[in-house]
Amino acid sequence: MSDPGSPARPVGTTGPLAHRVPDLAALELLLAVARLGSLGRAAKEMGITQPAASSRVRSMERLLGVALVERSPRGSRLTEAGALVTDWARRIVEAAEVFDAGAQALRGRRDSRLRVAASMTIAEYLLPGWLIALRGRLPDTAVSLLAGNSAAVAERVRAGEADLGFVEGLDAPAGLDGAVVGHDRLAVVVAPDHAWARRRTPLPPAELAATPLILRERGSGTRQVLDAALAAYGGLATPLLELASTTAVKSAVVSGLGPSVLSELAVGEELAARRLVEIPVAVRLRRDLRAVWPLGQRPTGPARELLSLTRG
Amino acid sequence: MSDPGSPARPVGTTGPLAHRVPDLAALELLLAVARLGSLGRAAKEMGITQPAASSRVRSMERLLGVALVERSPRGSRLTEAGALVTDWARRIVEAAEVFDAGAQALRGRRDSRLRVAASMTIAEYLLPGWLIALRGRLPDTAVSLLAGNSAAVAERVRAGEADLGFVEGLDAPAGLDGAVVGHDRLAVVVAPDHAWARRRTPLPPAELAATPLILRERGSGTRQVLDAALAAYGGLATPLLELASTTAVKSAVVSGLGPSVLSELAVGEELAARRLVEIPVAVRLRRDLRAVWPLGQRPTGPARELLSLTRG
DNA sequence: TGAGGGCATAAGCTGGATTTATGAGTGATC
DNA sequence: GATCACTCATAAATCCAGCTTATGCCCTCA
């Protein structure tokens, strides 16, 4: 069927995304076809039969209303549209790989070879990527992840329940060795139509301190750093709103409820898409990201490998 | 079942991703539960029944081997692990939204209210985000997308077959009005273990010019800009390898075959994950991203709205 | 104490996707 | 020039996953 023209009425713009986006297996298949240049080979790699692959690609084309691959007796190549779709598909698959790496670690099997404890921000944004890279070097290393606040992480490492910890904060936790593996800047963010977005000059710290913000609940590392940085300017005002998750905070800010201060790791995408705007502020809002381990016990084996990955 | 402990043997680390990652519908459901605080309400929003939602969440928990939501007679809240998983899930869903926005436009229905032509780089990395934002303002606007190189885009716009075009390049296309909507920097990239990655000083342009690179096939905008920038330094060496897609180029570079020059838009993720390293070079490799329209016909309606989005 | 909201379980059904088996087209090779 | 090796498409039968409907239990609040 080189004619994708019996248009089984592509699904409209309503309803759940899942009805309009092919499933992960189909997207992976498409990537495999792009890479291998043949439906049959792609099928084999995915562990299905050639007709199944053929049918999957076809239903994907029906769903999207566009021909994705050019079949020929010598193999299959992507069409122009197919190349575009494949690149969008790759983003989904990469996000799924992050999910998978994180989820596997979260499963926290007792027989793990490497037990990692990490603060929420690191666990959420950085660790899965490190784990994917680690899998590239030590494919058979089972990793378990325990996420919690910095104090809890330090405690786990001290107790020997984790081989390696990752924390964010101003100071290294007491009683542990460690190394700075990166930095994290806190960004003052507002919705694009907020008055601050029209400022031409950096925000005075005192104004930031005096403004009620949307923040995570007490105890988060972000809030701690903010508190310390603004102590000299009258201290942090009573929050406008206290929410349980970083995501909830972001949503609130995006919908214009007020400003917030969040890790740049958490708002990168929103800033790029201009759903949020960062406001320069004349105070240093920076914290270290640290790997920590028990005093004197320099990491070895998988822990050492992971540590080396984090420092590039 | 507050005990997720009859551990239906979580799937191992082999095989297709789709067997280890819940499908999009389940992930969307999880986000809805997180947002609405109740399985039943989430079910209603997704257009399924409450038992179906309950079952989906349960099988997700079985798949991941972790409890995600705390059920209570008063509703459901995410567990700690659930919050983490939900954030990873959100990344997948956002990638799916990008896919969806792009794919819908690609479908290119004749009855579209807004016909856009765009160069590959813009179509791939920027346009879907703009379309998502546009949907927020003009929900009922059907958009069609035609992707091609800059010359083809200009031609479509001149012929009145597209209401708005987006091109990248050094100069504005002749015979069209336009506005710069952004910039794109070309980055010299190599694998992390390449010799250039250990340089402490910027790469001399002449050395870049003399080195065979991995590039896209002739005719790509990237290559054009590179040619122009290095003309004064002896001109571009014969490529080491010419590949059909940006992605193929990236893979080749990542696996250490050689250096390349790619749009920063294309390598952002790879740089962040340190799969690639950018090499500073003492020459300006920058190009404008332009919106274009027929002379004198300043965009109106949906085209104008889209244009305003791109300039934030 | 009854009503309402919330979740779990059971049973039956439906539909989609898979596999096996085959055919047909193309290009290379002897 | 015929055969082989590879590609993909089609057809038919099967099977399983997930849905809906119909309940029941638990808790909270009036």
Side-chain angles (χ1 to χ4, degrees):
Chain A
M1 166 167 116
S2 67
D3 173 318
S6 52
R9 187 170 38 275
V11 185
T13 173
T14 52
L17 214 44
H19 291 170
R20 277 170 292 148
V21 177
D23 61 37
L24 265 174
L27 299 178
E28 276 192 276
L29 176 63
L30 183 62
L31 297 187
V33 171
R35 181 159 35 83
L36 301 173
S38 147
L39 284 178
R41 272 200 293 275
K44 181 147 43 157
E45 184 174 272
M46 301 278 302
I48 59 178
T49 59
Q50 173 265 320
S54 188
S55 148
R56 269 213 257 215
V57 171
R58 189 186 315 287
S59 51
M60 206 170 359
E61 289 176 319
R62 205 164 13 124
L63 179 66
L64 302 179
V66 175
L68 299 175
V69 307
E70 263 176 18
R71 291 107 168 135
S72 88
R74 284 174 40 224
S76 295
R77 290 197 52 69
L78 293 179
T79 62
E80 275 284 313
L84 217 42
V85 168
T86 301
D87 278 314
W88 293 326
R90 185 171 291 105
R91 310 272 282 269
I92 301 182
V93 171
E94 280 167 359
E97 278 165 356
V98 168
F99 182 105
D100 179 47
Q104 288 214 15
L106 213 53
R107 191 132 65 218
R109 315 185 46 157
R110 286 281 176 279
D111 59 347
S112 298
R113 301 264 301 283
L114 172 59
R115 299 161 304 163
V116 176
S119 69
M120 285 305 255
T121 301
I122 292 174
E124 188 173 339
Y125 295 102
L126 297 174
L127 196 61
W130 297 340
L131 294 181
I132 289 174
L134 183 66
R135 190 145 62 191
R137 300 208 192 177
L138 302 174
D140 294 326
T141 306
V143 181
S144 75
L145 163 63
L146 199 139
N149 63 36
S150 292
V153 168
E155 193 44 52
R156 295 294 168 183
V157 174
R158 269 190 220 102
E161 293 167 23
D163 304 309
L164 195 58
F166 291 97
V167 299
E168 64 232 9
L170 298 168
D171 317 296
L176 292 173
D177 268 351
V180 173
V181 298
H183 301 280
D184 181 30
R185 204 169 44 78
L186 297 183
V188 177
V189 293
V190 297
D193 57 357
H194 189 279
W196 282 359
R198 281 184 294 280
R199 291 186 61 94
R200 313 294 307 183
T201 58
L203 191 66
E207 183 170 352
L208 177 60
T211 305
L213 301 173
I214 302 171
L215 292 178
R216 286 202 49 184
E217 56 204 5
R218 182 164 300 279
S220 86
T222 304
R223 191 151 165 185
Q224 213 173 57
V225 173
L226 194 57
D227 256 329
L230 295 183
Y233 300 93
L236 199 52
T238 304
L240 178 63
L241 211 54
E242 293 192 329
L243 299 171
S245 76
T246 303
T247 308
V249 173
K250 277 198 285 188
S251 310
V253 177
V254 168
S255 59
L257 292 184
S260 182
V261 177
L262 290 165
S263 161
E264 64 177 345
L265 292 169
V267 295
E269 210 151 316
E270 279 79 5
L271 292 177
R274 292 194 237 248
R275 286 194 299 273
L276 289 179
V277 177
E278 176 174 359
I279 310 301
V281 58
V283 66
R284 187 185 174 78
L285 294 172
R286 206 178 156 86
R287 56 186 178 177
D288 292 326
L289 305 180
R290 278 195 175 76
V292 295
W293 55 85
L295 273 177
Q297 297 187 26
R298 169 168 266 109
T300 60
R304 185 173 161 281
E305 199 69 31
L306 176 58
L307 188 56
S308 81
L309 283 173
T310 64
R311 302 198 269 198
Chain B
M1 167 166 118
S2 66
D3 173 319
S6 53
R9 186 172 40 274
V11 184
T13 173
T14 53
L17 215 43
H19 290 170
R20 277 169 293 149
V21 177
D23 61 36
L24 266 174
L27 299 178
E28 277 192 276
L29 176 63
L30 183 61
L31 297 188
V33 171
R35 183 157 35 81
L36 301 173
S38 145
L39 284 178
R41 271 200 294 275
K44 180 146 45 155
E45 183 174 274
M46 300 279 300
I48 59 178
T49 59
Q50 171 265 319
S54 187
S55 148
R56 270 215 258 218
V57 171
R58 189 185 312 288
S59 50
M60 205 168 3
E61 290 177 316
R62 207 165 12 127
L63 179 67
L64 301 180
V66 175
L68 299 175
V69 306
E70 263 176 18
R71 290 104 166 139
S72 88
R74 285 176 35 223
S76 295
R77 290 197 51 69
L78 293 179
T79 61
E80 274 284 311
L84 217 41
V85 167
T86 300
D87 279 312
W88 293 325
R90 184 170 292 107
R91 311 272 282 268
I92 301 182
V93 171
E94 281 167 0
E97 278 165 357
V98 168
F99 182 105
D100 179 47
Q104 289 213 17
L106 212 53
R107 191 134 62 219
R109 315 186 48 159
R110 286 280 177 278
D111 59 347
S112 298
R113 302 265 302 282
L114 172 59
R115 298 160 306 162
V116 176
S119 68
M120 285 305 254
T121 302
I122 292 173
E124 189 174 339
Y125 295 102
L126 296 174
L127 196 62
W130 296 340
L131 294 181
I132 289 174
L134 183 66
R135 191 145 63 191
R137 300 208 192 177
L138 302 174
D140 294 327
T141 305
V143 181
S144 75
L145 164 63
L146 199 140
N149 63 36
S150 293
V153 168
E155 194 43 54
R156 296 292 169 184
V157 174
R158 269 190 220 101
E161 292 168 24
D163 305 309
L164 195 58
F166 291 96
V167 299
E168 64 233 7
L170 297 168
D171 316 297
L176 292 173
D177 269 351
V180 173
V181 298
H183 302 279
D184 182 29
R185 203 170 46 78
L186 298 183
V188 178
V189 293
V190 297
D193 56 358
H194 189 278
W196 284 358
R198 281 184 293 279
R199 290 186 61 94
R200 312 294 308 183
T201 59
L203 190 66
E207 183 169 351
L208 177 60
T211 305
L213 300 174
I214 302 171
L215 291 178
R216 284 203 52 183
E217 57 203 5
R218 184 162 299 279
S220 86
T222 304
R223 190 150 165 186
Q224 213 174 56
V225 173
L226 194 56
D227 256 329
L230 296 183
Y233 300 93
L236 199 52
T238 304
L240 178 63
L241 212 54
E242 293 192 329
L243 299 171
S245 75
T246 303
T247 308
V249 173
K250 277 198 284 186
S251 309
V253 177
V254 168
S255 59
L257 292 184
S260 182
V261 177
L262 290 165
S263 161
E264 64 176 346
L265 292 169
V267 295
E269 208 149 318
E270 280 79 5
L271 292 178
R274 291 193 238 249
R275 287 194 297 274
L276 290 179
V277 177
E278 177 174 358
I279 309 301
V281 58
V283 65
R284 187 183 174 78
L285 293 172
R286 206 177 155 87
R287 56 187 179 177
D288 293 325
L289 306 180
R290 278 195 175 75
V292 295
W293 54 87
L295 273 176
Q297 296 187 25
R298 168 169 265 109
T300 60
R304 184 172 162 280
E305 198 69 30
L306 176 57
L307 188 55
S308 80
L309 282 172
T310 64
R311 302 197 270 197

